[in-house]
Amino acid sequence: MQLEPALTPSSDLPNNNNSTFRYQDSHDAMGTTFDLAAYGADGEFLAAVFNEVFEEIDRLEQQMSKFRYESEISHINRNASRHSIMVEPKLFGLIQCALRVSAQTDGAFDITIGPLMKSWGFFRHQGRVPGDGEIGEILKSTGHMHVKSDSAARTVRFDHERVELDLGALAKGYALDRAVEILRGYCVTSALVSSGMSSIYALGSPPGERAWEIKLRDPFDAAKAADAILLKNCSISTSGNYVRFFKLDGKTYSHIINPATGWPAEGMLSTAVASVDTTESEALSTALYVLGPERAAQILAGRPNLSVVYYQPGDKPETFKRVAARSSSFNLPPDVVAEIKWPWYRSVF
Ligand code: AMP
Ligand code: MG
């Protein structure tokens, strides 16, 4: 197993000028490190705002982690196959959002994937290849249709005792959206917030710049950038086969599962999705990793203002090729920037 950052704030950010300075801090939560950087005139004020952001992220982890016995998600997972469980409004909204993405992606995005992740040994970092019988048995209780939600009562119920919810593919994105809400609430106008290797949101732009510059890593080499992205009031999320994986007999098995087969998704090295909504970019980077460019076309026809880059294996070992795409309906608001900086991309975005 290996953990490498996929997204890093550009190191050549402008330095302090006169009254504005750059403040940054980081915080470990949700199995990753959240990084915050912001420009402002008052460091003490920004430190207090950052602390509020980190407290909120801790609260969300406490609520959503399936690894904590006392979390609301664990409570749901233990009990929802026996009776309906009432869910806190925002978490209920997030679960509904996940179920909608599942329905729109023909189940490629699946928050009931936990038992398969466990069977493949990804949660305990003990990779193994389960037998076909084992996978077939788990698939019987996998899929969003096993989660029944009632909006009027704000409850969820499972129709099988082995169903469990795993928000691992979107909780970090949701946490960034909450972080940005807090920053905006305090009138912070220039900040970069990231959740380790998964997502980054660019609020405004650095002083005197048009946008924040974000580097996307090369799928084969964490030290190399594959692309540089310009972002303003927008997020980008990545899903990659390098995040969590194991090797057996020369084959690499990575942590994003194709719910249609119960096996790790194939044919993709990584995906990057830009959206003004980080929960959406987080969920879709995982879903589009499973679907690939051809099957994802219906998603891009149904959701506006998304930019996507797929990194797929190239013709030679350790090389990659890019496929870029965007929503059929693409008309970003004037205060949003989502562009690839390097020349090859100009013709696409
Ligand atoms: P990400 O790195 O955002 O793509 O999220 C990957 C994580 O989401 C995995 O570690 C699993 O916990 C979970 N996961 C794996 N496969 C899927 C899937 N097909 N749909 C939703 N979540 C998944
Ligand atoms: Mg994701």
Side-chain angles (χ1 to χ4, degrees):
M1 303 280 177
Q2 178 183 312
L3 291 175
E4 299 286 0
L7 302 169
T8 44
S10 204
S11 58
D12 51 353
L13 297 170
N15 286 321
N16 302 352
N17 69 7
N18 305 331
S19 59
T20 305
F21 77 101
R22 180 165 177 260
Y23 183 85
Q24 65 185 62
D25 201 357
S26 57
H27 182 71
D28 291 338
M30 299 189 176
T32 189
T33 302
F34 284 79
D35 287 302
L36 262 169
Y39 284 94
D42 183 345
E44 268 179 42
F45 167 73
L46 283 177
V49 174
F50 282 17
N51 276 337
E52 190 169 323
V53 167
F54 294 145
E55 275 171 21
E56 174 64 1
I57 291 170
D58 285 344
R59 193 190 66 75
L60 292 173
E61 178 176 23
Q62 182 57 39
Q63 180 182 33
M64 295 182 185
S65 171
K66 57 176 283 182
F67 301 108
R68 295 190 179 196
Y69 182 85
E70 65 296 354
S71 74
E72 190 171 355
I73 282 290
S74 293
H75 175 70
I76 295 170
N77 285 346
R78 277 194 303 274
N79 298 296
S81 63
R82 282 181 280 131
H83 49 88
S84 298
I85 304 290
M86 190 181 251
V87 184
E88 182 271 330
K90 287 194 166 148
L91 179 57
F92 184 76
L94 186 64
I95 292 170
Q96 284 212 305
C97 162
L99 296 175
R100 262 196 313 276
V101 175
S102 292
Q104 287 169 357
T105 58
D106 291 332
F109 183 80
D110 187 353
I111 51 168
T112 69
I113 207 75
L116 277 167
M117 291 290 291
K118 218 178 280 170
S119 159
W120 281 90
F122 285 116
F123 287 145
R124 292 179 173 273
H125 295 229
Q126 291 167 344
R128 64 186 275 272
V129 179
D132 288 343
E134 185 178 336
I135 291 179
E137 197 49 43
I138 299 173
L139 282 175
K140 287 183 191 162
S141 54
T142 305
H144 63 104
M145 57 288 191
H146 295 288
V147 183
K148 315 285 177 201
S149 74
D150 178 337
S151 312
R154 218 197 322 121
T155 57
V156 294
R157 171 98 212 241
F158 303 154
D159 71 0
H160 192 290
E161 61 182 2
R162 276 204 311 257
V163 177
E164 50 181 80
L165 301 182
D166 169 11
L167 300 181
L170 83 172
K172 294 192 283 280
Y174 178 74
L176 290 193
D177 282 334
R178 289 289 306 127
V180 171
E181 232 175 277
I182 293 170
L183 293 169
R184 285 193 201 278
Y186 284 106
C187 298
V188 175
T189 54
S190 169
L192 202 56
V193 202
S194 68
S195 52
M197 67 202 94
S198 70
S199 294
I200 196 158
Y201 186 96
L203 174 61
S205 56
E209 304 278 322
R210 196 175 141 248
W212 294 88
E213 184 182 325
I214 313 298
K215 299 214 168 84
L216 291 185
R217 63 160 276 184
D218 180 307
F220 292 103
D221 185 349
K224 271 203 234 153
D227 286 298
I229 315 279
L230 294 178
L231 278 189
K232 179 181 177 188
N233 296 324
C234 193
S235 72
I236 193 158
S237 300
T238 61
S239 290
N241 70 348
Y242 43 76
V243 173
R244 226 192 269 176
F245 63 88
F246 66 90
K247 286 189 175 182
L248 205 65
D249 298 333
K251 195 169 157 45
T252 301
Y253 299 91
S254 80
H255 72 139
I256 296 173
I257 306 280
N258 180 354
T261 62
W263 280 67
E266 301 255 1
M268 196 65 71
L269 300 169
S270 64
T271 51
V273 177
S275 162
V276 294
D277 182 294
T278 323
T279 310
E280 179 177 55
S281 61
E282 256 281 354
L284 290 185
S285 71
T286 311
L288 301 193
Y289 183 103
V290 174
L291 288 172
E294 289 84 23
R295 291 182 59 216
Q298 69 182 61
I299 314 295
L300 297 181
R303 287 172 177 255
N305 292 342
L306 296 170
S307 308
V308 185
V309 189
Y310 304 87
Y311 298 90
Q312 293 181 296
D315 298 333
K316 299 193 191 108
E318 307 259 308
T319 62
F320 64 85
K321 60 180 186 208
R322 302 174 181 85
V323 177
R326 67 184 196 191
S327 296
S328 317
S329 164
F330 194 84
N331 188 14
L332 293 178
D335 63 339
V336 175
V337 176
E339 286 169 16
I340 292 251
K341 199 179 166 196
W342 291 354
W344 70 270
Y345 216 75
R346 295 247 160 79
S347 56
V348 185
F349 275 2

